Amino acid sequence: QVQLVESGGGLVQAGGSLRLSCAASGLTFRSYTMGWFRQAPGKEREIVADITWNGGSTYSADSVKGRFTISRDNPANTVYLQMNSLKPEDTGVYYCAAGGRFGGAMPTSYPYWGQGTQVTVSS
């Protein structure tokens, strides 16, 4: 059974940083594209960043480019999202997902999802 477990969310002031982690099990992690998505209240889920199976290529949404960095550690079955210079508009539930199409794909292309972790940025 595939499990994706996110951690690292919390409350932070604008301009601060957080590092999200997603620990994967039940799948051959090194074979999968991994993505981070977020969903703000009343809005659709949107991609934040994704990364190819070997970490050789990454994609970031325009709204986070230059502030967020996705990375992965295949031996540890973990993908990370380093978030710097956080803004109130970054507030939402952040989800880790596995198995989608690389390069900013829609959420529907990802078959496996974590439960999400809340990120709240205060102004």
Side-chain angles (χ1 to χ4, degrees):
Q1 182 179 357
V2 176
Q3 281 196 315
L4 302 174
V5 180
E6 301 96 337
S7 61
L11 173 64
V12 64
Q13 288 189 330
S17 298
L18 285 174
R19 189 194 197 203
L20 306 184
S21 299
C22 171
S25 60
L27 76 171
T28 307
F29 180 78
R30 64 182 181 272
S31 298
Y32 285 82
T33 291
M34 298 296 295
W36 284 99
F37 291 76
R38 68 186 180 189
Q39 188 164 17
K43 295 190 176 181
E44 292 187 352
R45 194 169 297 188
E46 62 176 3
I47 189 159
V48 175
D50 57 24
I51 186 167
T52 52
W53 63 276
N54 63 350
S57 295
T58 63
Y59 165 89
S60 297
D62 287 344
S63 58
V64 306
K65 204 164 288 185
R67 300 188 297 122
F68 291 11
T69 303
I70 188 171
S71 62
R72 66 190 297 161
D73 182 344
N74 281 352
N77 287 357
T78 302
V79 62
Y80 303 98
L81 185 69
Q82 178 66 45
M83 305 187 295
N84 299 328
S85 302
L86 283 159
K87 304 176 181 180
E89 52 263 43
D90 295 318
T91 294
V93 179
Y94 282 69
Y95 297 91
C96 169
R101 189 172 60 252
F102 172 72
M106 296 293 288
T108 50
S109 84
Y110 281 78
Y112 305 115
W113 290 86
Q115 292 300 306
T117 186
Q118 177 70 44
V119 171
T120 303
V121 185
S122 63
S123 57

